Amino acid sequence: MRMRQIAENVHWLGAIDWDRRLFDSLIPLPDGTSYNAYLIQGTEKTALLDTVDPPMADVLMAQLEAVPKIDFIVSQHAEGDHSGTIARVLEKYPAAKVVATPKAKTMLIDLFTLPESAFVTVADKEVLSLGGKTLEFIHTPWVHWPETMVTYLREDRILFTCDFYGSHIAASDLFVTDKGRVYEAAKRYFAEIMMPFRGVIQKNIANLEGYDVRMIAPSHGQIYDEPAWIVDAYRDWVEGPPHNTVVLPFVSMHGSTRIMVDHLAAALVDRGVRVELFNLAVTDIGKLAIALVDAGTVIVATPTVLTGPHPLAAYATLLANALRPKAKFLSILGSYGWGGKMVETLAGMIPNLKVEVIDPVLCKGKPSPEVFEKLEQMAETIAQKHKENGFA
Ligand code: FEO
């Protein structure tokens, strides 16, 4: 793509990565992604906000061929997909200064061996005038790393947010055209990288409330020219109550666990509780992360493998522990042939979760009528607890 104007003397640059399907060797990207950079030209100075992932550096450098001068390279976030091409940009514009938070400066030096002399650090709310274009830097830690900041362009009322409010979508439309599609992609992104830091993100949202924002320009995905809905969505994800939903990540090898999962799901639905089932052998782990944002209860279901949980169930449990969803209740379903410590092993993997544990249900071999009765009781307990807590 070529450089594209989003406001007077403000342009989108960057790369659309239509092919990418995995991030951090962990996060599925079903819709690809983009690495957005922005060029802001004042009457006296020019600033580039963020760069692109190094494999796509040539795309950005080709766009910059038409730009004679850059005075400031603003790094809003030290991760490589936004700052990994700063060294290339500095080679072309050796007099440019890298603008970053003090914490980002040390990280950028560690990660990309940039020269210390190239940096100008900015305090929270510090202002930089480019001549008719005024940038205000607002520190917003943990969106996604501790060093992150956003940039408010006062004259145009544009908030540049890097990962914050971003979505992994490759699209030729610069602005959001399909809110439903972007809502899911943005929720997936929030779940995968920001959900554990809900408290800090809530403060960041509150901190930005005083700014008159007509456009939010993230560094992944499309630009919001009607930003209110994505801010409201974030508010709901960070501070809204859990929903009347049970999320059931499960693995089954010979069918017993699957029978238990299906029975419990039906029993919950009969009692008015929503369920979301994720067969870990085939699921997109990002879909599970999205479901965890609102879940009231999480039930992990697994057979016993070599005396412990199935490795896929252990992986999902570790992930849930790392993502720290706001679910209030958790339990385990499991099957075994002769014994094992599956429940103890899984229980030891969730120290971060502040949940009430509901008694697990285990079955030896094929589920018996007694097991089905216990599953009915579990469904009744969950439905009751969701009701008492006002989950809707
Ligand atoms: Fe898009 Fe945390 O980098």
Side-chain angles (χ1 to χ4, degrees):
M1 293 290 162
R2 298 168 189 155
M3 202 185 302
R4 301 166 79 181
Q5 180 167 311
I6 62 169
E8 195 180 350
N9 293 324
V10 182
H11 288 81
W12 172 93
L13 306 84
I16 300 178
D17 198 340
W18 301 91
D19 300 344
R20 191 154 183 184
R21 286 294 173 271
L22 200 60
F23 203 91
D24 291 344
S25 301
L26 173 68
I27 298 169
L29 305 182
D31 299 312
T33 191
S34 68
Y35 317 108
N36 305 334
Y38 298 95
L39 190 73
I40 302 168
Q41 293 168 296
T43 52
E44 294 161 24
K45 305 280 184 188
T46 297
L48 176 70
L49 261 67
D50 292 336
T51 64
V52 298
D53 208 27
M56 303 202 88
D58 288 347
V59 177
L60 178 66
M61 298 317 292
Q63 293 162 337
L64 290 176
E65 274 176 20
V67 180
K69 181 180 75 125
I70 284 180
D71 302 285
F72 302 104
I73 306 163
V74 177
S75 169
Q76 302 187 104
H77 176 20
E79 194 165 11
D81 52 329
H82 308 292
S83 292
T85 302
I86 288 177
R88 283 278 302 272
V89 178
L90 270 177
E91 268 174 35
K92 180 171 165 62
Y93 307 98
K97 290 291 178 193
V98 179
V99 179
T101 64
K103 196 169 275 184
K105 174 185 167 182
T106 62
M107 294 170 82
L108 289 163
I109 290 171
D110 290 344
L111 286 165
F112 307 113
T113 54
L114 298 176
E116 189 163 359
S117 59
F119 282 89
V120 175
T121 58
V122 284
D124 185 27
K125 310 264 170 82
E126 193 166 330
V127 166
L128 175 66
S129 174
L130 307 176
K133 298 283 185 193
T134 311
L135 304 180
E136 180 175 343
F137 305 107
I138 306 148
H139 291 200
T140 49
W142 297 107
V143 293
H144 138 226
W145 286 357
E147 88 300 359
T148 42
M149 68 175 183
V150 300
T151 305
Y152 182 62
L153 174 54
R154 286 181 178 171
E155 289 77 5
D156 297 279
R157 295 185 290 130
I158 302 174
L159 187 66
F160 299 92
T161 55
C162 202
D163 281 349
F164 200 15
Y165 301 122
S167 62
H168 285 304
I169 288 182
S172 63
D173 285 336
L174 205 47
F175 296 93
V176 173
T177 49
D178 181 344
K179 285 182 188 162
R181 183 176 179 222
V182 175
Y183 178 93
E184 173 158 330
K187 190 173 187 180
R188 172 189 284 263
Y189 199 40
F190 166 82
E192 288 162 340
I193 67 166
M194 290 180 218
M195 183 154 63
F197 314 117
R198 281 194 302 281
V200 189
I201 290 171
Q202 194 172 356
K203 283 186 197 151
N204 288 331
I205 293 171
N207 200 18
L208 293 170
E209 263 168 9
Y211 291 83
D212 178 13
V213 176
R214 79 174 171 91
M215 191 185 290
I216 288 180
S219 297
H220 292 295
Q222 294 169 300
I223 299 168
Y224 304 89
D225 50 358
E226 297 172 17
W229 71 268
I230 189 66
V231 177
D232 286 346
Y234 258 69
R235 272 203 198 96
D236 180 45
W237 300 336
V238 298
E239 64 194 55
H243 293 184
N244 181 25
T245 303
V246 174
V247 170
L248 278 145
F250 71 93
V251 198
S252 193
M253 296 194 304
H254 299 291
S256 291
T257 306
R258 177 75 202 231
I259 291 168
M260 294 172 77
V261 167
D262 286 342
H263 190 99
L264 178 64
L268 286 164
V269 170
D270 281 352
R271 290 165 174 82
V273 180
R274 226 173 284 117
V275 295
E276 292 196 56
L277 273 59
F278 294 93
N279 182 341
L280 296 167
V282 296
T283 197
D284 165 355
I285 208 79
K287 285 273 189 190
L288 172 59
I290 292 172
L292 288 174
V293 172
D294 303 313
T297 296
V298 179
I299 310 275
V300 180
T302 174
T304 302
V305 180
L306 301 174
T307 75
H310 190 288
L312 289 175
Y315 173 58
T317 306
L318 276 176
L319 189 69
N321 183 61
L323 296 180
R324 301 179 190 224
K326 57 191 169 194
K328 292 272 184 277
F329 307 101
L330 182 137
S331 194
I332 295 167
L333 302 184
S335 59
Y336 62 97
W338 54 90
K341 296 193 170 176
M342 179 265 287
V343 170
E344 294 86 334
T345 306
L346 285 180
M349 294 168 80
I350 51 167
N352 293 342
L353 301 187
K354 307 290 176 243
V355 288
E356 178 183 332
V357 176
I358 294 168
D359 285 344
V361 177
L362 300 180
C363 96
K364 186 168 187 290
K366 199 174 168 188
S368 62
E370 290 74 30
V371 168
F372 291 136
E373 181 49 37
K374 284 182 182 171
L375 292 170
E376 293 289 333
Q377 287 168 12
M378 179 185 266
E380 186 61 32
T381 302
I382 292 169
Q384 200 57 41
K385 286 186 181 293
H386 281 201
K387 202 171 168 188
E388 287 165 9
N389 281 273
F391 298 170

